[in-house]
Amino acid sequence: MQFDTVIHGGLIATADYTAKGDIGIRGGRIAAVAEKLEGGERRIDAGGRIVVPGGIEAHAHIAQESSSGVMTADDYLSGSISAAFGGNSSFIPFAAQQRGQSVDDVIATYDARAARSVIDYSYHLIISDPKPEVLEDQLPRAFARGITSFKVFMTYDLMNLGDGGMLDILTVAREHGAITMVHAENNDMVKWMNKRLAAKGLTAPKYHAISRPELAEEEAINRAIQLAKLVDAPLFIVHVSTEGGAEIVRREKFNGAKLFAETCPQYLALTRADLDRPGMEGAKYICSPPLRDGRTQDALWHHIAQGTFESVSSDHAPYRFDATGKFLNGSDIPYPKIANGMPGIAARLPYLFSEGVVKGRITLEQFVALSSTNAAKTFGCDSKGRIAPGMDADIAIWNPEARLTVTAADQHDNMDYTPFEGMELTGKPEVVLNRGAVIVEHGELRAKEGQGRFVARQPVDLRGKPGWTAKEFDPAQNFGAELR
Ligand code: DUC
Ligand code: ZN
Ligand code: ZN
């Protein structure tokens, strides 16, 4: 059998097994996995290395305007390059609907932006304006194109849909096999805290953390799950940052809800003390939900190891520490006016490998599941996330012993800082392939602008998630049958 490329002699790690072997690639796909493979126009020596499915970054903001109009520093070229250097072969950024905009227009806008990507991509569609024509015509059209996940917000006045709006989206998504993602924070609790803090003149960056209480997240996570259960719809809770929130997710998953969730490295690596750095330095650490504390970090790691989360995602939301980003509204401004988010797409997997696998908190197989395999299943990327014949040859070859110190320059993004600056990590992706093409090789970019392809996705995989039929919708309960 002829191969374009053979990766040989590595330790192949997947979500369910780890074994030494070779991988033969032909026509952009994995053609064979075996103990020994001969041939290959190109042979890549993976001796002493770990070979894993290329990362799938399932939460990133790329070439996206925030609801208050700040454009991210990374576009699809710089964002995808940074992702590739971080061991990713594909990503699913958001395509955000502004109020009044049609979904068709949103998709056309992001198609034009994404044409620069060096890795494969899809979008999660952010819905801020669920008018009848959006629900009845535009979302089904997006779904037919392979965009099978929608994100909604329970916070921010310009984005928050209210519980009724959420029920509408959950219902439409369920009907089409799509999954609804939710940013869960109680809007009124946050607004009330903001008002109190402002009245006392407490506006430095460190008050951002206080303004968005843990209870605001816990309440909203619980509410989102009950809303989804009422209509038996799949739900994905993004960026879980609290122990209480994670506990609710675990309990509801155990009870069979069609529930998925992620956390992010910043909630594991940083705390609210970082918001109290001198001067306005704390602005670099403003993200929502906010950074918490050391006890929460331990609890979230525990939940990662226990299986509460499908993924650890970066929530890469890059706003520079200057007047184009964090300080678009002025330099000495109260925390609510500072752009909200931090970068991390290149640091996600090195951080998870080093602090997770190397430190013994998770297994190598869990690393693969959390970085790639589960995202592929949840978001319907059927040809990705696994090393098996027929799958896309999306592969990352890691040196598990390489030592690195995180610097902003090494992130290869368009940012002027990284919140992970100075962290000492062990383990580094050295070679990354997307559909068989080497895109990063020993610190050099080999990909060309625009070589990434749109991935049309399948419905969410709900095997093992029986869900709930609320009594009111259950024909066997002798009432409510008309509603089903
Ligand atoms: N939510 C995100 O997912 N990212 C950035 C800011 C926000 O509110
Ligand atoms: Zn969010
Ligand atoms: Zn985000």
Side-chain angles (χ1 to χ4, degrees):
M1 190 184 263
Q2 265 315 304
F3 301 114
D4 303 329
T5 305
V6 170
I7 299 170
H8 63 96
L11 184 71
I12 300 171
T14 74
D16 23 59
Y17 73 89
T18 301
K20 266 197 111 180
D22 297 356
I23 300 169
I25 298 168
R26 199 175 49 237
R29 295 192 170 203
I30 296 172
V33 182
E35 211 174 339
K36 277 262 164 298
L37 290 171
E38 301 301 329
E41 278 170 37
R42 176 167 185 196
R43 291 184 67 81
I44 299 177
D45 182 1
R49 303 291 185 262
I50 297 175
V51 183
V52 297
I56 300 174
E57 170 59 80
H59 188 150
H61 303 269
I62 306 290
Q64 183 194 327
E65 299 94 348
S66 70
S67 57
S68 49
V70 193
M71 183 53 122
T72 56
D74 282 312
D75 61 13
Y76 271 80
L77 181 60
S78 62
S80 64
I81 289 173
S82 183
F85 275 100
N88 298 287
S89 302
S90 60
F91 63 169
I92 316 176
F94 294 93
Q97 180 198 30
Q98 306 293 329
R99 285 201 171 155
Q101 192 181 17
S102 79
V103 167
D104 305 274
D105 190 39
V106 177
I107 294 173
T109 301
Y110 280 85
D111 280 345
R113 293 174 182 177
R116 305 189 73 187
S117 183
V118 304
I119 61 175
D120 288 354
Y121 59 89
S122 180
Y123 326 112
H124 309 293
L125 202 54
I126 292 179
I127 307 295
S128 62
D129 197 357
K131 297 188 280 250
E133 59 268 35
V134 169
L135 295 171
E136 287 156 24
D137 304 324
Q138 297 171 15
L139 287 183
R141 256 202 308 279
F143 181 78
R145 230 204 100 173
I147 297 173
T148 56
S149 46
F150 310 137
K151 182 181 177 190
V152 297
F153 286 81
M154 298 173 85
T155 188
Y156 306 131
D157 283 347
L158 290 173
M159 303 297 289
N160 169 26
L161 300 183
D163 293 353
M166 260 189 79
L167 285 166
D168 286 341
I169 298 275
L170 284 160
T171 305
V172 171
R174 182 201 65 195
E175 276 163 15
H176 292 86
I179 187 165
T180 304
M181 306 165 81
V182 64
H183 176 131
E185 286 185 291
N186 180 306
N187 198 36
D188 281 340
M189 276 168 139
V190 172
K191 282 169 70 176
W192 190 83
M193 292 296 281
N194 278 338
K195 219 159 71 184
R196 283 192 69 132
L197 288 161
K200 291 183 189 297
L202 304 176
T203 60
K206 68 177 176 184
Y207 295 108
H208 173 75
I210 298 170
S211 75
R212 308 185 84 90
E214 296 194 8
L215 285 171
E217 176 174 287
E218 292 166 24
E219 186 283 326
I221 286 178
N222 185 53
R223 182 157 37 101
I225 294 171
Q226 306 318 316
L227 293 169
K229 279 164 63 181
L230 177 64
V231 293
D232 196 23
L235 181 71
F236 188 105
I237 316 275
V238 297
H239 50 47
V240 175
S241 70
T242 55
E243 180 177 9
E247 290 290 347
I248 296 167
V249 169
R250 177 163 58 187
R251 189 180 67 230
E252 295 285 0
K253 269 190 171 180
F254 188 75
N255 286 336
K258 294 173 177 167
L259 186 58
F260 305 79
E262 68 177 12
T263 188
C264 313
Q266 48 273 36
Y267 302 115
L268 306 167
L270 306 167
T271 68
R272 62 169 62 116
D274 291 297
L275 284 156
D276 196 18
R277 294 192 183 207
M280 291 301 276
E281 196 76 2
K284 292 179 178 174
Y285 301 88
I286 287 187
C287 62
S288 296
L291 303 175
R292 308 295 185 183
D293 55 21
R295 183 195 144 110
T296 305
Q297 292 178 337
D298 293 343
L300 292 175
W301 271 116
H302 184 73
H303 277 280
I304 289 171
Q306 293 255 316
T308 302
F309 300 114
E310 271 63 37
S311 304
V312 174
S313 308
S314 72
D315 195 1
H316 183 73
Y319 302 110
R320 289 169 66 94
F321 192 64
D322 63 22
T324 66
K326 289 283 175 187
F327 303 115
L328 191 73
N329 292 314
S331 53
D332 193 17
I333 43 177
Y335 69 83
K337 292 195 177 302
I338 296 171
N340 197 347
M342 59 173 72
I345 203 164
R348 169 181 82 117
L349 296 181
Y351 175 82
L352 185 64
F353 186 88
S354 185
E355 288 295 309
V357 181
V358 177
K359 293 222 169 135
R361 291 178 169 120
I362 56 172
T363 64
L364 189 51
E365 288 85 351
Q366 284 178 303
F367 170 78
V368 174
L370 291 159
S371 61
S372 175
T373 310
N374 290 346
K377 274 203 253 182
T378 309
F379 296 115
C381 305
D382 271 12
S383 62
K384 299 194 182 290
R386 288 192 294 134
I387 293 181
M391 303 298 287
D392 285 354
D394 286 5
I395 292 168
I397 304 174
W398 283 66
N399 179 343
E401 284 163 8
R403 307 290 298 263
L404 61 118
T405 304
V406 178
T407 66
D410 285 346
Q411 304 308 292
H412 300 273
D413 57 12
N414 218 359
M415 285 294 294
D416 51 359
Y417 79 93
T418 165
F420 304 102
E421 183 79 37
M423 277 186 198
E424 312 251 334
L425 302 178
T426 302
K428 185 179 176 179
E430 288 180 336
V431 181
V432 183
L433 294 87
N434 179 205
R435 276 180 292 104
V438 172
I439 53 173
V440 163
E441 193 172 15
H442 301 290
E444 300 291 330
L445 182 70
R446 300 279 183 234
K448 295 221 168 19
E449 176 173 342
Q451 76 177 59
R453 290 283 168 272
F454 175 77
V455 179
R457 294 183 285 121
Q458 301 299 313
V460 52
D461 182 349
L462 290 173
R463 282 173 297 173
K465 308 248 182 206
W468 281 84
T469 302
K471 280 184 186 166
E472 294 74 8
F473 285 89
D474 184 358
Q477 306 268 344
N478 287 332
F479 63 95
E482 309 82 341
L483 271 175
R484 275 194 78 77

